[in-house]
Amino acid sequence: MVGHNTLQQMYKEMVTARYYEERLQEEYLEGKQPAFDISAGPIPGELHLAAGHEASGAGVCAHLRDSDTVTAPHRPHHVAISKGVDLERMTAEIFGRETGLSKGKGGHMHLYDPEVNFACSGIIAQGCPPAVGAALTAKKRNTDDVAVAFLGEGAISQGAFLESLNLAAVQELPVVFVIEDNDWAISMPKERVTDVEDGSRRAWGFDMHGERVDADDAVTVYEAAEDAIGRARDGNGPSVLEVQVHRRMGHFMGDPESYRPDEDVERAQRRDCITRMETRLREHGFEEADLEGIREGAHERVDEAIEWAKDQPEPEPEATYEDVFTNSPDDWPERPSREVTATDGGEE
Amino acid sequence: MAQAETPSASEIDRELTMSRAMVEAIAHEMREDEEVFVMGEDVADYGGIFDSTQGLLEEFGHDRIMDVPISETAFMGAGVGAAMQGMRPVCELMFADFFGVCMDQLYNNMAKTTYMSGGSVSVPMTLMTAVGGTYNDAAQHSQTLYGTFAHLPGMKVVVPSNAYDAKGLMHTAIRDNDPVVYMFHKRLMGLAWMPAPEGPKTGVPEERYEIPFGEADVKREGEDATIVTLGLHVHRALEAAEGLAEDGIDAEVIDLRTLVPLDTETVLESVRKTGRLIVVDEDYHSYGVSGELIARATEGALEDLEAVDRVTAPDTPIPYSRPLENEFQPSTDDIAAAVRSITQ
């Protein structure tokens, strides 16, 4: 049963994440209008926004502590916020600044915050094996930490996911795979990439617990995750949780979505997990003023993080060569010595 | 084939972007041969994230322009299997960076089957993939990996720099009986959302024509130094050469067009003339294209070589932030500076 404080915390995370994506969208589009140039503006490169996915991050991460590991995919912001990733430094990273989580080297698909054991990969399903590794570590070290891998429904046909399920099952590891089903793998609707309507049934083939949460509702997610994460923490092995979410924006910013029927876009707008969460809060006795207060606090925090990030310095070019073991350009021959002297005295 | 009669890019008024030229070649081959089909992620309804299959669905339908699940090992391997049966699949790997999730199918099956079967089985498959950076997509979506694919034996490796070559090389690739890795640079495609530099949009004949593999193109003749490059950096090298010409330095620019087979002779001829070689490569510095070209020049034209240099990406993963990626990417100025330093 979800308590008053947990409800409030989940709502706070959800409205933080939603407003965060809206503000990032504004910042991202700056310098990209009227002609959209992906390399222009304060945030260049790809940007995959998670508006409509908030219930999943909030409902699952409510059961996690800092020492539990989360791996997220290319659409990570809502999960990062619910996991407690440093919002200022994450924002600075997205703006490519020196004080960002990765000193500007990673960008929005490659966010790492070891303080709260959070990591992402921009390659589909490739966060699954490292989550299994974190769970293996917990088992070997005899802690009761767990790991959670977030992935999209498009990722459940990847070898890395299916192989991870098998390894986690046979080793009885404390890991939960959370499939965020937003109905679309870029332009591919779910029914065209798998014949299995309920992705959590993938677990059954590994004799593993699998459950789907159909309602895009943080409280229902919270209850299902309580079971799955409790199972892992108590040494009862891995599980798969599929959560219905909705993609309120394109796959990435700039996606024309010409493949997507209007009704589907409208449905995603209509089935808003935040509206649903507000209904839940009212049922639990929250007043409108309470909700307004939570929203205002969240917006203020996001605005501050974005302002702070934009004030941060850009990295120095020399930083390119740091943080990697490599053949450094410092070891390349100096220019004068690069001249090759002909063996037969070819110089006149 | 009417190779001899095909007009050159400059003789044609009809200009196409590189993506349109590629699509035209694929469509032509699909009309002529029912065994040609396209398979990849978001290639049908979306038309390819980088427009490489734009409009093909409307003409050929979902049976021949196949959207597939995000399962690269399965669909790349299926491409290999279909090719072993004699079909001619064109399989798209959305980003070359994703090679990791299907490399066993590419390297151990696609590339080696012909050899392991003693030539009794062919794999006439075209692997089409997007490469390159310059738009801040960071370490997992910006690599060229030219050297990686060219290093592994058994695959032909093609890197067009403009629409004319893109079409001719695509025709050759699909008709080739060996696996061909066709690497197109995102920045050259003519995407509405990623402006291309001047140069890749060229005149393109409507008819079918092939550009043979292993024939480099001398894009600019010069006497003082030889710049050898490929892909996006052909255009940067040409721009650098224009600037150098104003200072009286006359650089020759060679577009390799294919890495496997490699046209060593055209490079050697040029180096024998200029005595100075600069290799420009967007790929990593060590153990790659630049080292290979310099090795071949020293093997084949040592007595004529007065100086060598290379302008490449460093040996680091590709950073996200703009000032860092600018540092990482070999620029026009970097190329010009290197040419100046070895021609002084």
Side-chain angles (χ1 to χ4, degrees):
Chain A
M1 203 34 209
V2 57
H4 187 274
N5 289 347
T6 305
L7 268 178
Q8 179 168 332
Q9 176 64 22
M10 289 198 295
Y11 180 63
K12 186 176 133 192
E13 288 165 9
M14 290 170 74
V15 293
T16 302
R18 175 65 57 87
Y19 184 65
Y20 192 68
E21 303 298 61
E22 288 168 357
R23 287 286 288 109
L24 284 187
Q25 180 178 31
E26 280 172 31
E27 295 288 339
Y28 184 79
L29 289 175
E30 199 185 315
K32 295 190 183 71
Q33 289 168 323
F36 186 95
D37 174 353
I38 191 170
S39 44
I43 305 175
E46 286 183 81
L47 188 65
H48 309 82
L49 296 177
H53 296 62
E54 297 87 350
S56 138
V60 172
C61 293
H63 302 286
L64 300 179
R65 50 199 190 206
D66 288 355
S67 57
D68 294 325
T69 291
V70 163
T71 64
H74 57 286
R75 199 182 305 285
H77 303 161
H78 62 302
V79 183
I81 286 168
S82 286
K83 185 64 170 77
V85 168
D86 185 318
L87 191 66
E88 281 72 23
R89 293 189 60 212
M90 163 169 142
T91 311
E93 185 60 32
I94 293 168
F95 281 86
R97 305 307 167 114
E98 191 176 32
T99 48
L101 287 170
S102 309
K103 307 174 197 166
K105 286 180 172 131
H108 107 104
M109 281 189 277
H110 314 113
L111 301 167
Y112 298 83
D113 190 348
E115 297 291 318
V116 295
N117 289 291
F118 181 87
C120 327
S121 171
I123 313 290
I124 300 302
Q126 302 306 316
C128 295
V132 171
L136 179 66
T137 305
K139 185 181 175 188
K140 282 185 179 298
R141 289 180 178 165
N142 238 342
T143 70
D144 66 348
D145 290 335
V146 302
V148 179
F150 283 82
L151 59 149
E153 94 290 342
I156 66 172
S157 303
Q158 264 294 12
F161 169 64
L162 296 162
E163 292 180 28
S164 294
L165 292 192
N166 190 55
L167 182 59
V170 77
Q171 296 280 339
E172 297 176 70
L173 298 177
V175 57
V176 178
F177 302 90
V178 177
I179 303 165
E180 298 184 310
D181 177 5
N182 70 8
D183 301 322
W184 292 94
I186 309 190
S187 69
M188 288 285 276
K190 190 179 186 183
E191 66 268 18
R192 284 180 55 208
V193 293
T194 176
D195 280 345
V196 181
E197 200 179 340
D198 173 356
S200 70
R201 282 172 56 191
R202 289 275 200 272
W204 301 359
F206 301 92
D207 203 13
M208 186 192 292
H209 175 72
E211 184 181 346
R212 177 177 157 85
V213 177
D214 217 17
D216 189 350
D217 170 41
V219 174
T220 320
V221 174
Y222 175 88
E223 287 163 358
E226 185 168 34
D227 176 51
I229 292 170
R231 190 183 292 266
R233 217 182 282 292
D234 296 342
N236 295 318
S239 47
V240 174
L241 189 62
E242 179 168 84
V243 178
Q244 180 68 55
V245 295
H246 291 91
R247 201 177 86 188
R248 296 170 68 87
M249 297 168 169
H251 166 71
F252 41 37
M253 292 295 299
D255 179 355
E257 291 199 280
S258 50
Y259 51 83
R260 191 173 179 187
D262 290 343
E263 312 85 74
D264 189 76
V265 179
E266 285 156 20
R267 194 181 56 168
Q269 299 298 332
R270 210 168 48 239
R271 295 192 182 173
D272 187 353
C273 61
I274 291 192
T275 314
R276 197 174 296 233
M277 190 63 174
E278 287 167 350
T279 306
R280 290 278 197 175
L281 287 158
R282 287 188 202 103
E283 285 166 7
H284 279 78
F286 284 83
E287 304 285 336
E288 289 309 314
D290 300 331
L291 305 187
E292 185 58 33
I294 295 170
R295 278 196 300 270
E296 275 178 13
H299 293 189
E300 201 175 314
R301 183 167 168 240
V302 168
D303 285 332
E304 280 172 12
I306 290 177
E307 286 320 303
W308 182 82
K310 287 166 71 175
D311 267 349
Q312 297 303 299
E314 291 198 309
E316 294 298 327
E318 295 71 39
T320 302
Y321 310 104
E322 297 164 3
D323 302 309
V324 61
F325 181 81
T326 185
N327 293 304
S328 157
D330 295 341
D331 301 329
W332 298 355
E334 289 300 312
R335 279 189 195 283
S337 66
R338 280 189 229 181
E339 289 201 6
V340 176
T341 306
T343 47
D344 63 354
E347 297 272 348
E348 54 272 69
Chain B
M1 223 182 332
Q3 191 67 38
E5 295 106 61
T6 304
S8 67
S10 58
E11 294 165 327
I12 301 285
D13 289 335
R14 189 187 70 131
E15 289 203 337
L16 294 185
T17 60
M18 205 165 97
S19 70
R20 293 315 306 160
M22 286 166 58
V23 168
E24 199 168 270
I26 297 168
H28 190 115
E29 294 297 336
M30 289 185 70
R31 278 179 218 122
E32 292 206 351
D33 183 354
E34 283 188 1
E35 303 249 289
V36 177
F37 66 99
V38 175
M39 194 159 47
E41 292 159 5
D42 305 287
V43 295
D45 299 75
Y46 197 110
I49 298 297
F50 304 105
D51 292 357
S52 54
T53 55
Q54 193 78 51
L56 291 174
L57 174 68
E58 287 69 19
E59 182 175 350
F60 299 103
H62 279 115
D63 283 348
R64 294 183 71 195
I65 306 296
M66 293 174 60
D67 272 334
V68 291
I70 305 172
S71 306
E72 285 86 355
T73 288
F75 78 79
M76 284 299 168
V80 174
M84 288 168 68
Q85 297 292 320
M87 294 198 78
R88 293 188 177 272
V90 178
C91 298
E92 177 165 283
L93 182 62
M94 189 186 292
F95 289 77
D97 310 70
F98 301 172
F99 78 119
V101 282
C102 54
M103 201 54 179
D104 199 69
Q105 291 303 320
L106 302 186
Y107 177 45
N108 276 324
N109 279 345
M110 185 182 83
K112 290 179 181 168
T113 290
T114 303
Y115 188 83
M116 294 190 300
S117 69
S120 64
V121 180
S122 290
V123 184
M125 164 170 162
T126 301
L127 168 68
M128 168 165 87
T129 188
V131 303
T134 71
Y135 66 104
N136 310 98
D137 218 4
Q140 296 180 335
H141 292 76
S142 304
Q143 299 168 101
T144 60
L145 300 174
Y146 297 139
T148 302
F149 282 91
H151 178 68
L152 302 170
M155 299 173 273
K156 293 175 181 172
V157 180
V158 175
V159 185
S161 71
N162 61 75
Y164 184 91
D165 289 354
K167 179 171 172 176
L169 290 167
M170 183 62 84
H171 279 297
T172 313
I174 294 172
R175 294 275 174 115
D176 201 289
N177 286 331
D178 289 321
V180 177
V181 180
Y182 185 106
M183 310 178 95
F184 61 86
H185 199 293
K186 291 160 242 172
R187 180 60 83 185
L188 299 177
M189 291 294 270
L191 301 167
W193 47 278
M194 194 190 297
E198 292 282 317
K201 190 174 182 181
T202 64
V204 178
E206 289 192 38
E207 69 261 34
R208 183 182 185 285
Y209 59 96
E210 292 189 11
I211 291 178
F213 293 166
E215 287 190 11
D217 188 16
V218 179
K219 306 296 282 189
R220 183 186 195 283
E221 292 189 6
E223 298 297 324
D224 298 332
T226 300
I227 307 175
V228 178
T229 186
L230 71 169
L232 172 67
H233 283 73
V234 170
H235 305 284
R236 293 190 174 182
L238 286 168
E239 192 186 347
E242 292 308 313
L244 290 163
E246 289 168 18
D247 298 340
I249 299 170
D250 188 17
E252 183 147 306
V253 177
I254 296 176
D255 177 359
L256 289 171
R257 299 203 291 196
T258 67
L259 287 171
V260 182
L262 181 66
D263 182 1
T264 308
E265 198 44 46
T266 295
V267 175
L268 292 183
E269 267 174 40
S270 177
V271 167
R272 286 184 191 116
K273 176 174 70 175
T274 64
R276 296 175 178 89
L277 172 64
I278 301 270
V279 186
V280 180
D281 185 12
E282 188 180 333
D283 202 359
Y284 305 117
H285 183 82
S286 301
Y287 310 107
V289 171
S290 60
E292 182 60 31
L293 264 294
I294 289 170
R296 290 194 185 213
T298 54
E299 287 162 353
L302 184 61
E303 59 275 21
D304 297 305
L305 264 182
E306 290 168 38
V308 293
D309 200 353
R310 46 179 160 167
V311 180
T312 69
D315 292 323
T316 75
I318 303 178
Y320 160 67
S321 182
R322 195 175 278 127
L324 302 184
E325 200 196 2
N326 288 346
E327 171 71 14
F328 178 93
Q329 275 281 341
S331 69
T332 300
D333 288 346
D334 293 336
I335 299 167
V339 174
R340 279 200 181 87
S341 105
I342 65 162
T343 49
Q344 275 163 3

